[in-house]
């Protein structure tokens, strides 16, 4: 990301700066999604720390760049984008409802800082580290990157003596009142927030995909009623595109079959390396945690330590595209969703046929994929409030009357019969870690489906050509 900086003298007391003065005293960075992003003096104090700069070495989409070469953007860029959009959102609300909501300078500053620092606690390769690696090496551990972000914020403030108002610091971590401010960055009530606005557009662009969701329209449709951000009823389908775009990215990018194969291999590699590198011991103290980043891949790959040989070999296989072989997948039938339990390698091994070489759990990798519209199996629109669009007599038809205070839910069937009636997919994928076992794993996977559902729920069989190719490769020692 290209950057051009402009800096001027900053007065000692800048708490009451006007927006014009604040921009004049800012630095700006040119972002390839939002254009010029202006960083205010307080935000710069956080950005210019080694803990925040570490985000440059955390890829936003982890190992996805090994399938989508353009997906090399970092959490540094994303965090700046969320900071900027958080400022845009609160300024929009302040313009129309500033007096009514008592939005002051500290509220604006706090929301922006919360957006800037929301991902400070992410580990190497992001969600994979938290959801796949840690549960393996520290089973039962109650740990999340959100909690670590809060610890990291305190650590950065103390370590660098950042002069931030104590009340503002508390609000950065949690809003006890004016809950709508917290919802701007991370909306636990309906899932609509500027974090998603940024990564949907940024990730789509990086992967060369189109994005037909327009967050600008959502900004224009916002209004706070009863401490809750509501949206104009006429933007129902625009908001639906937000959830649909997110689900589509999960299916085509985040959980792409080859992306998951690479992730499974890397998790095996760092799990094997954990005892030697003591990776998991870093997660408890911010002073150690911030030293973990994506360079762990290169650390293992270039090490001469014999204890890391197995991990190095796995990374070499990733480099040479000798991946765990995708055998097949099935979507869990809708009627079985409620009681579904994750499928394990043991489930597949127990379903193998005696006519093939005996499979062990170490030969198989299983990926249980969940794709939804942010609310699991529930309709996200049930927790979303819209407000009535009434018209100002002197305004254009697209101008809402901000004196309107009626909020309500809308049933999907009143909008369109083409909207989904189910809100979650669960997909089970199975991989063979050894090429010559593709046929045996595929057959065991089919047997598992028959035993579990009384039918094969996969769309098609594993291609015979794929099985023969893997057998031939193994016999030639390729």
């Amino acid at each position: 990301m290209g950057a051009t900086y402009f800096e001027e003298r900053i007065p000692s007391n800048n708490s009451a700066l006007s927006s014009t003065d604040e921009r004049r005293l800012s630095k700006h960075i040119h972002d390839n999604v939002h254009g010029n992003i202006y960083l205010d003096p307080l935000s710069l104090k956080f950005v210019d720390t080694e803990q925040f700069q570490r985000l440059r070495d955390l890829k936003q989409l982890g190992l996805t760049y090994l399938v989508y070469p353009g997906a090399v953007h970092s959490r540094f860029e994303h965090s700046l984008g969320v900071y900027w959009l958080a400022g845009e959102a609160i300024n929009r609300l302040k313009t129309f409802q500033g007096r009514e909501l008592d939005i002051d300078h500290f509220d604006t500053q706090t929301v922006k800082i919360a957006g800037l620092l929301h991902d400070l606690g992410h580990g190497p390769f992001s969600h994979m580290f938290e959801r796949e690696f840690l549960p393996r090496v520290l089973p039962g551990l109650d740990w999340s990157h959100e909690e670590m972000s809060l610890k990291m914020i305190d650590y950065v403030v103390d370590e660098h003596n950042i002069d931030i108002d104590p009340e503002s610091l508390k609000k950065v971590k949690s809003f006890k009142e004016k809950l709508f401010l917290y919802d701007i960055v991370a909306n636990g009530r309906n899932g609509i927030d500027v974090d998603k606005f940024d990564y949907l557009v940024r990730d789509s662009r990086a992967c060369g995909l189109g994005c037909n969701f327009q967050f600008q329209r959502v900004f224009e449709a916002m209004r706070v009623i009863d401490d809750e951000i509501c949206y104009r009823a006429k933007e129902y389908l625009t908001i639906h595109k937000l959830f649909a775009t997110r689900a589509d990215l999960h299916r085509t990018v985040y959980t792409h079959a080859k992306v998951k194969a690479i992730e499974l291999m890397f998790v095996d590699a760092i799990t094997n390396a954990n005892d030697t590198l003591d990776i998991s011991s870093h997660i408890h103290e911010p002073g150690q945690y911030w030293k973990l980043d994506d360079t762990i891949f290169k650390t293992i790959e270039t090490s001469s330590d014999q204890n890391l040989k197995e991990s190095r070999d796995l990374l070499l296989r990733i480099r040479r595209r000798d991946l765990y072989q995708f055998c097949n997948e099935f979507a869990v039938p809708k009627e079985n969703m409620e009681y579904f339990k994750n499928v394990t390698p043991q489930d597949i091994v127990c379903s193998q046929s005696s006519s093939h070489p005996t499979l062990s759990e170490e030969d198989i990798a299983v990926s249980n994929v969940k794709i939804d519209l942010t609310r699991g199996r529930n309709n996200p629109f049930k927790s979303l409030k819209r407000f009535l669009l009434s018209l100002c007599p002197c305004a254009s038809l697209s101008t809402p009357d901000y004196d309107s205070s009626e909020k309500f839910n809308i049933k999907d069937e009143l909008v369109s019969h083409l909207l989904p009636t189910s809100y979650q997919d669960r997909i089970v994928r199975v991989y063979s870690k050894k090429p010559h076992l593709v046929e045996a794993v595929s057959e065991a996977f089919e047997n598992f489906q028959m035993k579990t559902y009384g039918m094969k729920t996969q769309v098609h069989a594993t291609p015979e050509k794929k099985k023969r190719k893997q057998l031939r490769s193994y016999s030639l020692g390729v």
Side-chain angles (χ1 to χ4, degrees):
M1 184 170 81
T4 305
Y5 296 105
F6 291 91
E7 185 174 22
E8 299 185 25
R9 183 179 63 84
I10 300 172
S12 58
N13 180 8
N14 59 8
S15 62
L17 289 174
S18 69
S19 59
T20 302
D21 288 338
E22 190 169 88
R23 179 163 293 193
R24 180 174 58 82
L25 297 170
S26 300
K27 289 182 180 180
H28 82 249
I29 296 178
H30 186 76
D31 177 60
N32 65 355
V33 173
H34 305 299
N36 285 340
I37 291 176
Y38 292 86
L39 291 164
D40 61 68
L42 179 58
S43 300
L44 278 169
K45 292 179 181 179
F46 285 98
V47 171
D48 292 337
T49 65
E50 59 270 32
Q51 288 76 28
F52 189 86
Q53 292 291 320
R54 160 186 176 267
L55 297 181
R56 293 182 185 270
D57 294 318
L58 295 179
K59 290 186 177 63
Q60 176 75 10
L61 298 186
L63 292 158
T64 303
Y65 74 99
L66 293 171
V67 175
Y68 288 90
V72 293
H73 54 302
S74 68
R75 294 218 167 255
F76 181 86
E77 299 163 63
H78 168 62
S79 295
L80 293 179
V82 176
Y83 159 87
W84 183 246
L85 291 180
E88 294 287 286
I90 194 168
N91 285 332
R92 175 78 187 182
L93 292 175
K94 190 174 182 179
T95 298
F96 289 98
Q97 293 181 275
R99 291 185 179 180
E100 172 192 346
L101 301 174
D102 191 27
I103 298 174
D104 57 26
H105 172 80
F106 287 106
D107 290 333
T108 302
Q109 183 76 75
T110 299
V111 169
K112 290 163 65 178
I113 293 293
L116 183 72
L117 304 179
H118 79 288
D119 272 353
L120 207 56
H122 264 295
F125 300 101
S126 299
H127 295 290
M128 185 201 66
F129 180 83
E130 178 180 351
R131 298 173 184 172
E132 306 290 341
F133 167 68
L134 288 181
R136 280 210 206 176
V137 297
L138 297 171
L141 176 71
D142 184 17
W143 189 96
S144 70
H145 77 271
E146 291 90 353
E147 287 296 322
M148 179 51 73
S149 291
L150 302 182
K151 293 180 181 179
M152 288 286 288
I153 291 170
D154 285 335
Y155 176 80
V156 170
V157 170
D158 292 340
E159 184 74 8
H160 297 276
N161 297 313
I162 294 177
D163 185 16
I164 180 172
D165 179 77
E167 281 303 310
S168 291
L169 183 59
K170 286 182 181 178
K171 288 182 178 180
V172 165
K173 296 187 290 182
S174 177
F175 288 94
K176 300 300 182 184
E177 52 187 30
K178 295 184 181 178
L179 294 179
F180 71 90
L181 294 176
Y182 190 85
D183 290 343
I184 289 174
V185 176
N187 196 327
R189 289 193 270 192
N190 59 40
I192 302 174
D193 51 52
V194 297
D195 179 27
K196 289 184 182 65
F197 294 176
D198 184 83
Y199 77 65
L200 291 180
V201 177
R202 195 176 299 277
D203 294 353
S204 296
R205 178 173 297 189
C207 295
L209 306 174
C211 181
N212 63 359
F213 167 67
Q214 297 178 314
F215 63 80
Q216 296 88 349
R217 289 186 66 93
V218 180
F219 276 164
E220 294 170 1
M222 291 191 309
R223 186 192 165 181
V224 175
I225 302 175
D226 298 334
D227 201 25
E228 180 179 10
I229 298 177
C230 304
Y231 304 88
R232 284 187 301 187
K234 64 178 290 186
E235 296 302 337
Y236 190 97
L237 293 178
T238 299
I239 292 171
H240 183 270
K241 285 181 182 178
L242 164 69
F243 298 128
T245 300
R246 176 182 175 276
D248 189 52
L249 279 172
H250 272 273
R251 183 178 293 278
T252 58
V253 177
Y254 309 151
T255 65
H256 185 287
K258 276 195 167 53
V259 170
K260 296 305 295 184
I262 293 169
E263 288 183 354
L264 288 166
M265 294 180 75
F266 185 71
V267 170
D268 283 348
I270 59 174
T271 299
N272 293 336
N274 188 52
D275 288 342
T276 302
L277 299 179
D278 210 15
I279 300 167
S280 59
S281 68
H282 289 66
I283 68 169
H284 303 293
E285 295 298 328
Q288 292 298 315
Y289 182 74
W290 76 266
K291 299 172 185 177
L292 286 178
D293 57 41
D294 291 359
T295 58
I296 193 171
F297 191 112
K298 203 70 176 177
T299 298
I300 296 171
E301 188 177 37
T302 58
S303 173
S304 58
D305 191 329
Q306 282 303 303
N307 293 323
L308 295 176
K309 184 179 185 308
E310 188 175 349
S311 297
R312 277 199 307 275
D313 289 345
L314 278 169
L315 299 189
L316 183 61
R317 285 183 62 182
I318 292 174
R319 293 291 195 193
R320 293 178 175 176
R321 211 64 172 180
D322 178 20
L323 307 180
Y324 291 168
Q325 292 298 311
F326 171 67
C327 296
N328 220 316
E329 69 178 27
F330 70 82
V332 177
K334 187 189 299 186
E335 60 271 19
N336 298 100
M337 294 275 278
E338 185 175 356
Y339 303 105
F340 173 78
K341 293 183 179 179
N342 281 349
V343 178
T344 67
Q346 183 181 28
D347 293 326
I348 308 303
V349 168
C350 292
S351 303
Q352 67 181 312
S353 168
S354 58
S355 62
H356 282 288
T358 302
L359 297 172
S360 67
E361 293 182 39
E362 290 71 30
D363 297 327
I364 300 169
V366 179
S367 175
N368 293 277
V369 175
K370 182 173 68 174
I371 302 172
D372 57 40
L373 301 185
T374 75
R375 281 295 174 271
R377 293 169 52 240
N378 298 318
N379 181 354
F381 287 93
K382 286 188 176 180
S383 58
L384 176 64
K385 297 291 190 297
R386 269 75 55 178
F387 69 92
L388 181 65
L389 174 65
S390 56
L391 301 177
C392 302
C394 58
S396 66
L397 290 178
S398 62
T399 303
D401 177 2
Y402 278 89
D403 289 332
S404 171
S405 60
E406 181 182 350
K407 65 178 183 179
F408 56 95
N409 292 104
I410 302 177
K411 295 181 179 179
D412 285 354
E413 58 267 26
L414 298 181
V415 177
S416 172
H417 296 300
L418 297 178
L419 295 177
T421 57
S422 183
Y423 304 96
Q424 185 182 78
D425 280 338
R426 282 191 174 273
I427 301 167
V428 179
R429 296 193 181 117
V430 68
Y431 298 81
S432 172
K433 295 184 179 182
K434 300 173 182 177
H436 68 288
L437 294 177
V438 168
E439 184 172 10
V441 174
S442 298
E443 182 178 299
F445 189 49
E446 292 179 10
N447 292 341
F448 170 78
Q449 295 168 57
M450 292 295 297
K451 184 170 66 173
T452 305
Y453 303 115
M455 62 177 181
K456 293 181 183 179
T457 52
Q458 62 193 35
V459 175
H460 54 73
T462 304
E464 291 297 323
K465 182 179 179 181
K466 182 181 179 75
K467 297 176 186 176
R468 290 196 300 271
K469 179 181 178 182
Q470 301 308 326
L471 286 168
R472 182 174 180 275
S473 296
Y474 180 70
S475 65
L476 293 175
V478 177

